[in-house]
């Protein structure tokens, strides 16, 4: 049996929700999208949310709402997926990379601080692999923040959900994420006018034409799936936590860097990322026994931009290995994966 890196949890109920939409004949953005936005905002006790075609679309709308434009600087982590870099490019902003912390892969507030200038218009802050970033320190820098919750829907820090802590936040419902709709995303903000700006640019029709507009709409099929997935979010989080505990227990003696839990009690396990001295060898050896382990950031922004001066990002990229974790994985699958890792220790 092969174990994949990730897998969405799709129930009969999910399938019914989508086929009901298909049968209704109203399949584009409509009542289901509106209801998903309402359900989502209610979950986080926020005044509203804007559903989008992807996380990247949500992030573009968020940067436009913050009026990021040519000549502005946007700070993103050097260790993050390419989407962040691309979206800053959509706005013609200058991309400034910041280094991360090795303990949780999140942006290092001190490193961000030394890169803030008068031109800094926004900081994009992902909560890496489900672990909340140090929002208190980052907010203290006084620059607008886009919380990137693509990894961390349902995580909490300082007694609040991530996505409710900064100026504006985005989520992704791509197939591998905590909540999956295939493709999809969401923008959320406390400030109603920011949210209205994001909503306005999502559609191109029946609107003023003096600003650049996009078709970033979600379909009702995706929204119906998203509403159902959201009802199961807490179960998903709990199941992932059980699997993470199993990994931590089984791998405590294997010479790997394991996720640190102190100070991160509200984290979720979107990914279970270990740091291995020989990450490439571990990934290849696990592939041979049918377990799909990956580098959790395929190619960090730092490599695309070939900038120097990011030692922690380089170390993270060299060492990080993501082990399979998702709600439909069983504890005994995790135990089997750990047995393979233990056996390999002597051969790699
Ligand atoms: C997946 C992801 C995105 C982009 O979301 P898409 O829905 O794939 O466009 C952005 N940021 C992070 C941290 C992600 O993991």
């Amino acid at each position: 049996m092969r174990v994949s890196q990730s897998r969405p949890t799709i129930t009969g109920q999910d399938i019914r929700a989508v086929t009901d939409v298909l049968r209704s004949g109203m399949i584009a953005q409509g009542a289901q999208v509106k209801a998903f936005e309402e359900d989502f905002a209610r979950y986080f006790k926020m005044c509203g949310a804007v559903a989008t075609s992807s996380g990247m679309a949500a992030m573009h709308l968020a940067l436009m709402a913050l009026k990021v434009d040519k000549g502005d600087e946007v700070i993103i982590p050097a260790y993050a997926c390419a989407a962040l870099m691309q979206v800053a490019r959509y706005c013609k902003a200058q991309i400034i990379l910041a280094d991360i912390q090795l303990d949780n892969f999140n942006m290092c507030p001190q490193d961000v601080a030394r890169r803030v200038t008068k031109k800094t218009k926004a900081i994009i802050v992902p909560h890496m692999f489900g672990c909340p970033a140090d929002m208190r320190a980052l907010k203290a820098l006084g620059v607008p923040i886009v919380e990137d919750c693509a990894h961390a829907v349902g995580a909490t820090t300082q007694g609040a959900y991530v996505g409710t802590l900064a100026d504006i936040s985005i989520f992704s419902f791509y197939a591998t994420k905590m909540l999956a709709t295939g493709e999809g995303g969401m923008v959320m903000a406390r400030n109603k006018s920011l949210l209205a700006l994001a909503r306005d640019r999502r559609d191109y029709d029946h609107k003023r034409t003096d600003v650049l507009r996009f078709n970033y709409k979600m379909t009702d099929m995706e929204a119906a799936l998203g509403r159902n997935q959201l009802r199961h979010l807490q179960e998903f989080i709990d199941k992932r936590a059980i699997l993470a505990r199993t990994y931590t227990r089984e791998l405590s003696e294997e010479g790997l860097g394991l996720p640190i839990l102190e100070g991160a009690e509200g984290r979720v396990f979107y990914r279970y990322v270990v740091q291995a001295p020989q990450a490439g060898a571990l990934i290849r050896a696990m592939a041979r026994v049918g377990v799909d382990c990956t580098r959790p950031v395929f190619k960090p922004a730092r490599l695309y931009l070939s900038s120097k001066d990011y030692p922690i990002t380089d170390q993270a990229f060299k060492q990080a290995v993501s082990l399979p974790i998702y709600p439909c994985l069983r504890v005994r699958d995790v135990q089997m994966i750990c047995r393979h890792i233990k056996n390999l220790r002597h051969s790699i």
Side-chain angles (χ1 to χ4, degrees):
M1 189 193 79
R2 284 203 71 83
V3 180
S4 58
Q5 168 68 202
S6 62
R7 193 182 166 86
T9 308
I10 303 294
T11 62
Q13 223 179 18
D14 289 315
I15 293 167
R16 261 194 311 282
V18 175
T19 52
D20 283 351
V21 173
L22 287 169
R23 282 202 195 87
S24 78
M26 305 286 281
I27 60 177
Q29 176 179 283
Q32 287 295 324
V33 169
K34 186 164 184 288
F36 185 30
E37 291 176 344
E38 287 164 4
D39 291 355
F40 204 81
R42 196 175 312 117
Y43 192 96
F44 294 100
K45 299 192 171 59
M46 296 283 276
C47 63
V50 177
T52 60
S53 51
S54 71
M56 213 167 157
M59 197 178 289
H60 188 199
L61 293 172
L63 288 189
M64 285 191 294
L66 293 176
K67 306 251 180 346
V68 173
D69 211 336
K70 197 170 176 176
D72 294 332
E73 294 177 357
V74 172
I75 302 180
I76 67 171
Y79 188 69
C81 83
L84 279 66
M85 192 177 63
Q86 293 297 350
V87 167
R89 276 192 187 150
Y90 291 176
C91 299
K92 301 189 168 61
Q94 172 87 25
I95 300 160
I96 306 294
L97 301 182
D99 211 355
I100 58 162
Q101 321 178 131
L102 202 55
D103 58 346
N104 61 11
F105 302 99
N106 278 323
M107 280 170 117
C108 169
Q110 290 78 27
D111 195 75
V112 175
R114 72 185 183 90
R115 299 179 197 273
V116 171
T117 71
K118 280 204 283 291
K119 291 186 188 164
T120 310
K121 199 66 175 271
I123 308 172
I124 304 179
V125 181
H127 301 289
M128 290 300 286
F129 311 134
C131 184
D134 186 348
M135 291 304 295
R136 199 171 284 147
L138 289 164
K139 279 163 74 175
L141 300 174
V143 178
I145 290 179
V146 180
E147 265 188 274
D148 178 349
C149 307
H151 291 181
V153 56
T156 58
T157 182
Q158 306 162 26
Y161 282 116
V162 304
T164 67
L165 294 157
D167 302 273
I168 194 161
S169 61
I170 69 101
F171 297 80
S172 165
F173 311 122
Y174 178 63
T176 62
K177 304 290 161 91
M178 304 271 299
L179 299 180
T181 64
E183 298 279 2
M186 195 74 82
V187 183
M188 209 161 66
R190 221 171 263 296
N191 179 321
K192 282 191 177 153
S193 65
L194 274 185
L195 207 58
L197 283 171
R199 187 181 299 283
D200 182 53
R201 299 286 188 97
R202 178 184 60 178
D203 305 39
Y204 59 81
D205 227 351
H206 308 296
K207 302 263 188 185
R208 287 166 28 208
T209 54
D210 55 342
V211 291
L212 211 51
R213 300 188 165 282
F214 300 86
N215 180 352
Y216 280 166
K217 300 192 295 295
M218 181 182 268
T219 68
D220 263 17
M221 283 90 74
E222 290 164 333
L225 186 52
R227 291 181 74 196
N228 237 343
Q229 293 265 305
L230 183 61
R231 279 186 214 116
H232 296 283
L233 177 58
Q234 194 56 49
E235 279 163 53
F236 292 168
I237 290 171
D238 294 344
K239 184 65 196 296
R240 285 170 179 273
I242 290 169
L243 299 176
R245 277 200 292 278
T246 308
Y247 273 127
T248 297
R249 200 168 50 237
E250 298 277 335
L251 297 177
S252 60
E253 311 276 311
E254 300 308 308
L256 299 169
L258 302 182
I260 294 166
L261 297 176
E262 279 129 65
E265 287 74 15
R267 72 160 293 160
V268 296
F269 277 94
Y270 167 59
R271 292 273 182 254
Y272 191 92
V273 177
V274 300
Q275 298 187 47
Q278 300 197 59
L282 176 61
I283 291 168
R284 285 189 298 276
M286 292 303 280
R288 284 196 290 275
V289 295
V291 178
D292 189 9
C293 299
T294 61
R295 291 188 192 277
V297 173
F298 177 67
K299 187 172 172 184
R302 176 215 158 318
L303 294 180
Y304 287 100
L305 300 174
S306 67
S307 17
K308 296 198 171 61
D309 191 24
Y310 299 94
I312 310 298
T313 291
D314 290 343
Q315 200 177 341
F317 182 58
K318 219 181 284 165
Q319 298 184 345
V321 178
S322 174
L323 307 180
I325 190 164
Y326 39 94
C328 53
L329 197 66
R330 298 164 303 184
V331 167
R332 70 180 129 116
D333 299 324
V334 170
Q335 286 165 335
M336 180 272 287
I337 293 167
C338 292
R339 270 198 302 280
H340 283 307
I341 293 174
K342 287 175 194 177
N343 290 339
L344 287 173
R345 194 158 82 128
H346 309 290
S347 57
I348 62 171

